[in-house]
Amino acid sequence: MENVKPEPGEVLKKTFCPLDCPDSCGLVAAVLGEKVVSLGGDVEHSYTGGFICRKMRGYLKRVYGKQRILYPMRRVGRKGDGQFERISWEEALAYSAERLLAIKRHHGGEAILPYCYAGNMGHINRFAGFPLFHRLGTSRLDQTICAAAAGAGWQKHCGNLSGTPPENSEESDLILAWGINLRISNVHFFRYVRKARKRGAKFIVIDPYRNQTAADADEYIRVSPGGDTALALALIKMLVERGQLNRPFIEKHTAGFGELEDYLSVISFNGLERISGVAIEKIRWLADLLAETPKTFFRLGVGMTRNSRGGMTIRALTSLAAVLGLFEGGHGRGVLLFSNAFGAQKELITRPDLLEKPTRKINMIHLGYALTTLTPPVKGLIVYNSNPLSVAPDTSSVKRGLARDDLFTLVHEQVMTPTARFADIILPATTFLENHDLYTAYGHFYMGVAKPVIRPEGEAKSNFDFFQELAREMGYVEEVFFESCGQRIERYLHSFEGIPESMRLGAVLEGQLVHSTNSRPRGDALIARDMKYQFYVPGIPDEPPIACLTSAKEFDNPDLLTRFPLRLISPPHMDLLNSTFAEQYSYECGLLKIHPEAAAARKIEDGAYVTVKNHRGSCTRKAELTTDVGPELVVAEGIFWADGADAGVINCLTSQKEADMGGGATFHECLVEVTPASQHRGL
Ligand SMILES: Nc1nc2c(c(=O)[nH]1)N[C@H]1C(S)=C(S)[C@@H](COP(=O)(O)OP(=O)(O)OC[C@H]3O[C@@H](n4cnc5c(=O)[nH]c(N)nc54)[C@H](O)[C@@H]3O)O[C@H]1N2
Ligand SMILES: Nc1nc2c(c(=O)[nH]1)N[C@H]1C(S)=C(S)[C@@H](COP(=O)(O)OP(=O)(O)OC[C@H]3O[C@@H](n4cnc5c(=O)[nH]c(N)nc54)[C@H](O)[C@@H]3O)O[C@H]1N2
Ligand code: SF4
Ligand SMILES: [Mo]
């Protein structure tokens, strides 16, 4: 039944991948005694079907590797030196509780900032710290780093509509991977692309660089970073002018199209061509193809929304999908950004009701500012499920903040990350193999619950156990701090929409796969819910009511452009999950893709070390000369740790500027200059 074959004495146990990836794979672990000896895909998982990526195939290196943190530790050297001594859990909890309570007494709870994201996507462990943070009255973290702009853009016109099930694309005649690198970040979707193409479907990739997915496409369309809105508007304008819209759908299932039409009638194709970076002939070709291919599927990525026009990008792309009627579903038709498979009441596990009074909110992409400039200052930082010194924008300022002697930093981690090296107290975290949790996916419609496969290694504790114990150590007596993980899962499951009624009250069984009833077989969720796509949504200051052109905060800044003429984007690397697993590549600084002409003008040779710099910082990469990028673009895949103090990580270049919606990040809107580096400074 599984592609892991047990040897004598081994027991097979099912679980789910906890990584921040749309696919949430079903896994099978072969366990011998107390040790996982191999890890493979679960062939019984209807969506992921037994295939897992290279990152997870190598995951046991993390579980049993030398870099694993197995005991609580206290800092003995200077901040950032990475010198620690082992202490007991009792001592670590008592000391941490005392320090945090002292900060609350002297400066108020808001002087404590929790920092966490999605190192572990299990719902219980992901949000495990929140009941304590609310009870303690800490500052509240606005978790915007990944998908805030995308979510806000979708919500604006589509409300809480689910995405189309990915399986639907198998029957498509045209699939667009728009701003998503499927072969890296959504590998299982690619299976449907393959099947559809076997039947003759066309596969198109729209991206600023010829990424790994584009290399495999029938057609690659190079768009300027942030230029997608212009491209989508040009396509809509063409469809309008040639009468190729899906009028019956527009009339029946949408509202406000007239406003968009009026706007389009006064903007020119010249402007749209220039801003999108796509030639008008190509736009015409694509408009024709869309008009004559009813079975079209849009797979939209979040990567393309990490810029100051990112929310608008999703708004324009859903408007294009709406004029084509893709939301009406039917075989092979649809739009998938996020699945939104199971509506659930997150408050049941985050418990905002424990907050005595509203506390200040801090946008997580402003961590550098919060630790260096914000008043009243942050005096205590609790980090779990995240490695902000690598993943947050503008890490130069984050580093200055973490180095502050008057900041108490507690880090709960699996491995010695760059952030952990700055901690006052480090606490060992379990891996998902040691956890009980509930997993959903953002790229498909299945969920499941998994029990621990092995007991915790060393003295590691799950996020759940750690925060329960810390809360009790602080003297908090609310029931929530005494419940077991199983009780929390059960309480939470009651709020799930999309779980078949037969399972709602009986607990979902461990390892069992649950398919959401929100998954419409033909993706017609909009119609099934009797909703309308709203082209025109007025009334929110600073948010145009229709999809329209806006300007870019950094890419359109003339002063910065003269000093730093190259546009940098830094999307995911195949072997890393954001910065996770970078411990296995500690001497890697990563590549910088640069066009041969741009390289020649700077006397940069293929394979040479280069310095990538701007007014925020500088880092070292190795040049890869390639026409996969245009002459104005450079691409740095992967958030390597870049061991060695001077090398810096890619995010020392990126800015704390917000996207246009949701307070999202702008990682892919960064101006830089590149020069030859005499050597890799970090090594
Ligand atoms: N191997 C691997 N897989 C991952 C991750 C990882 O680090 N490594 N990270 C995970 C996480 S947290 C997430 S959120 C997802 C993200 O997965 P995706 O949604 O795929 O997002 P990204 O990979 O950031 O970017 C996707 C593509 O968008 C392109 N892009 C950037 N700017 C623009 C633009 O303005 N327009 C267009 N059209 N394209 C643009 C990039 O060049 C890239 O090819 O991946 C997850 N999966
Ligand atoms: N330049 C650039 N920067 C980016 C991006 C980009 O594309 N380009 N992508 C952004 C995106 S989409 C995202 S989502 C963020 C991701 O930001 P993060 O969520 O911080 O991602 P990771 O780098 O994976 O770090 C997660 C950390 O959690 C730890 N961890 C894993 N499981 C557990 C656990 O159970 N308990 C505890 N306590 N710790 C655990 C891991 O060891 C790891 O160090 O990065 C963002 N940063
Ligand atoms: S990272 Fe994604 S593709 Fe890889 S095992 Fe996990 S869920 Fe599957
Ligand atoms: Mo993300």
Side-chain angles (χ1 to χ4, degrees):
M1 71 177 194
E2 295 86 9
N3 67 3
V4 174
K5 301 265 179 297
E7 298 288 330
E10 291 176 9
V11 183
L12 296 185
K13 295 187 181 175
K14 288 197 181 201
T15 183
F16 297 94
C17 175
L19 297 176
D20 187 352
C21 167
D23 295 15
S24 185
C25 285
L27 303 177
V28 176
V31 184
L32 183 63
E34 261 310 308
K35 212 171 148 93
V36 178
V37 288
S38 65
L39 201 55
D42 177 2
V43 293
E44 289 180 346
H45 190 292
S46 319
Y47 180 72
T48 57
F51 175 80
I52 58 170
C53 69
R54 211 153 75 184
K55 304 183 290 297
M56 190 40 79
R57 285 201 294 269
Y59 192 85
L60 294 181
K61 280 192 254 166
R62 170 163 275 242
V63 183
Y64 299 116
K66 280 206 290 289
Q67 302 254 6
R68 180 88 192 260
I69 297 170
L70 293 171
Y71 310 101
M73 291 185 283
R74 177 171 37 213
R75 176 170 65 88
V76 289
R78 281 183 326 163
K79 293 219 174 192
D81 281 355
Q83 288 169 22
F84 296 91
E85 64 178 9
R86 182 175 168 181
I87 55 174
S88 69
W89 261 105
E90 290 70 29
E91 213 180 335
L93 284 171
Y95 181 72
S96 303
E98 183 200 310
R99 288 291 302 261
L100 292 168
L101 288 171
I103 293 171
K104 183 176 160 99
R105 255 192 328 274
H106 292 123
H107 307 279
E110 285 184 330
I112 300 167
L113 176 67
Y115 200 91
C116 51
Y117 202 62
N120 177 342
M121 290 283 280
H123 286 240
I124 302 303
N125 283 293
R126 181 171 179 189
F127 298 108
F130 284 67
L132 172 61
F133 303 150
H134 287 135
R135 179 64 183 83
L136 193 55
T138 66
S139 286
R140 285 173 295 162
L141 188 74
D142 204 0
Q143 294 189 298
T144 55
I145 201 162
C146 174
W154 179 271
Q155 173 79 32
K156 181 97 183 167
H157 302 282
C158 307
N160 64 355
L161 186 70
S162 315
T164 307
E167 292 88 342
N168 221 34
S169 62
E170 188 176 338
E171 297 177 277
S172 303
D173 294 326
L174 175 62
I175 301 176
L176 271 70
W178 201 323
I180 184 164
N181 195 354
L182 294 176
R183 306 231 45 189
I184 300 296
S185 56
N186 189 196
V187 287
H188 293 85
F189 188 91
F190 206 70
R191 209 177 39 207
Y192 300 102
V193 174
R194 262 199 217 106
K195 285 187 182 165
R197 284 174 90 188
K198 261 202 186 123
R199 293 185 3 264
K202 252 199 166 55
F203 175 53
I204 297 180
V205 168
I206 304 181
D207 205 282
Y209 81 109
R210 190 185 297 273
N211 61 22
Q212 295 82 346
T213 312
D216 254 359
D218 297 301
E219 186 75 30
Y220 160 59
I221 297 178
R222 188 192 299 283
V223 67
S224 289
D228 306 86
T229 293
L231 175 57
L233 292 176
L235 289 164
I236 301 174
K237 187 173 163 73
M238 247 167 218
L239 294 167
V240 171
E241 289 184 3
R242 294 145 154 226
Q244 290 170 320
L245 304 168
N246 187 333
R247 284 281 176 196
F249 176 81
I250 293 175
E251 270 152 35
K252 211 157 160 217
H253 300 295
T254 74
F257 183 55
E259 273 80 4
L260 181 59
E261 260 185 312
D262 290 347
Y263 170 71
L264 290 173
S265 68
V266 296
I267 53 170
S268 75
F269 279 119
N270 281 348
L272 295 170
E273 183 183 27
R274 183 178 47 78
I275 297 168
S276 67
V278 184
I280 199 75
E281 298 74 34
K282 195 57 144 302
I283 299 176
R284 193 168 298 124
W285 171 82
L286 183 56
D288 281 339
L289 190 63
L290 289 169
E292 66 200 28
T293 320
K295 288 188 185 177
T296 293
F297 196 101
F298 283 6
R299 179 67 177 105
L300 309 181
V302 274
M304 71 175 151
T305 68
R306 296 196 189 109
N307 60 63
S308 64
R309 294 174 282 180
M312 186 57 87
T313 294
I314 295 298
R315 297 183 55 187
L317 267 53
T318 61
S319 290
L320 173 62
V323 302
L324 295 166
L326 299 185
F327 290 108
E328 79 192 332
H331 296 278
R333 285 160 75 71
V335 187
L336 177 60
L337 173 62
F338 307 116
S339 45
N340 288 334
F342 300 93
Q345 255 174 285
K346 213 170 77 186
E347 295 73 26
L348 289 174
I349 53 175
T350 57
R351 296 298 303 271
D353 56 299
L354 294 174
L355 203 60
E356 247 170 38
K357 56 178 189 339
T359 52
R360 66 179 171 183
K361 267 201 165 179
I362 296 179
N363 186 334
M364 71 190 295
I365 66 163
H366 297 158
L367 181 64
Y369 171 83
L371 293 182
T372 55
T373 315
L374 182 70
T375 48
V378 173
K379 292 286 196 179
L381 182 70
I382 306 175
V383 180
Y384 77 101
N385 266 1
S386 186
N387 174 21
L389 190 46
S390 301
V391 303
D394 193 5
T395 45
S396 319
S397 66
V398 175
K399 194 173 193 174
R400 281 200 304 281
L402 289 176
R404 270 174 43 204
D405 274 326
D406 65 330
L407 178 74
F408 171 67
T409 303
L410 190 158
V411 176
H412 185 230
E413 247 302 349
Q414 296 169 340
V415 294
M416 187 60 81
T417 58
T419 309
R421 291 169 72 90
F422 278 85
D424 293 286
I425 294 284
I426 299 183
L427 298 164
T430 49
T431 67
F432 74 104
L433 294 167
E434 299 143 78
N435 290 347
H436 187 185
D437 217 325
L438 179 160
Y439 302 91
T440 57
Y442 55 97
H444 63 67
F445 286 74
Y446 294 87
M447 63 149 277
V449 172
K451 275 270 179 70
V453 163
I454 46 169
R455 277 207 291 269
E457 283 291 299
E459 293 182 2
K461 286 188 197 290
S462 68
N463 301 352
F464 177 84
D465 287 340
F466 161 51
F467 281 111
Q468 292 295 75
E469 289 177 27
L470 183 60
R472 298 199 294 256
E473 183 74 30
M474 288 178 156
Y476 294 132
V477 295
E478 286 76 5
E479 224 181 314
V480 66
F481 300 120
F482 290 84
E483 69 185 345
S484 70
C485 191
Q487 284 166 333
R488 189 167 294 179
I489 290 176
E490 203 175 313
R491 219 166 36 74
Y492 183 46
L493 263 176
H494 283 298
S495 74
F496 270 54
E497 288 164 19
I499 293 193
E501 213 42 54
S502 57
M503 287 180 180
R504 179 174 295 285
L505 297 174
V508 171
L509 294 176
E510 278 80 40
Q512 180 183 5
L513 202 60
V514 180
H515 191 203
S516 171
T517 55
N518 285 339
S519 153
R520 311 278 156 192
R522 295 195 311 281
D524 48 357
L526 184 108
I527 293 169
R529 292 197 197 176
D530 201 19
M531 288 168 62
K532 275 185 193 283
Y533 180 88
Q534 306 288 337
F535 283 102
Y536 178 74
V537 185
I540 306 207
D542 302 326
E543 273 183 23
I546 47 167
C548 64
L549 296 173
T550 52
S551 58
K553 286 184 187 163
E554 180 145 329
F555 283 167
D556 289 346
N557 180 322
D559 168 48
L560 284 181
L561 270 168
T562 52
R563 293 157 64 202
F564 309 112
L566 293 171
R567 293 179 289 180
L568 168 76
I569 59 176
S570 47
H573 188 280
M574 181 171 219
D575 292 317
L576 305 181
L577 199 295
N578 299 316
S579 75
T580 302
F581 305 123
E583 77 277 7
Q584 293 163 26
Y585 306 90
S586 60
Y587 289 98
E588 278 290 335
C589 61
L591 298 175
L592 183 82
K593 292 179 192 289
I594 181 165
H595 192 277
E597 281 167 23
R602 292 167 175 81
K603 302 194 168 35
I604 290 167
E605 285 173 14
D606 192 40
Y609 286 114
V610 290
T611 302
V612 192
K613 64 181 177 200
N614 63 17
H615 53 307
R616 290 178 287 263
S618 81
C619 73
T620 307
R621 288 244 163 183
K622 224 175 185 175
E624 178 196 354
L625 271 54
T626 169
T627 52
D628 289 346
V629 296
E632 290 170 356
L633 186 74
V634 286
V635 175
E637 289 174 350
I639 312 173
F640 291 93
W641 289 0
D643 215 9
D646 289 342
V649 290
I650 200 69
N651 275 323
C652 68
L653 300 163
T654 55
S655 89
Q656 299 182 56
K657 290 192 189 84
E658 286 181 26
D660 51 347
M661 295 179 79
T666 55
F667 293 111
H668 299 328
E669 187 175 334
C670 179
L671 289 172
V672 296
E673 183 50 290
V674 182
T675 53
S678 46
Q679 55 178 11
H680 184 340
R681 290 177 301 147
L683 300 179

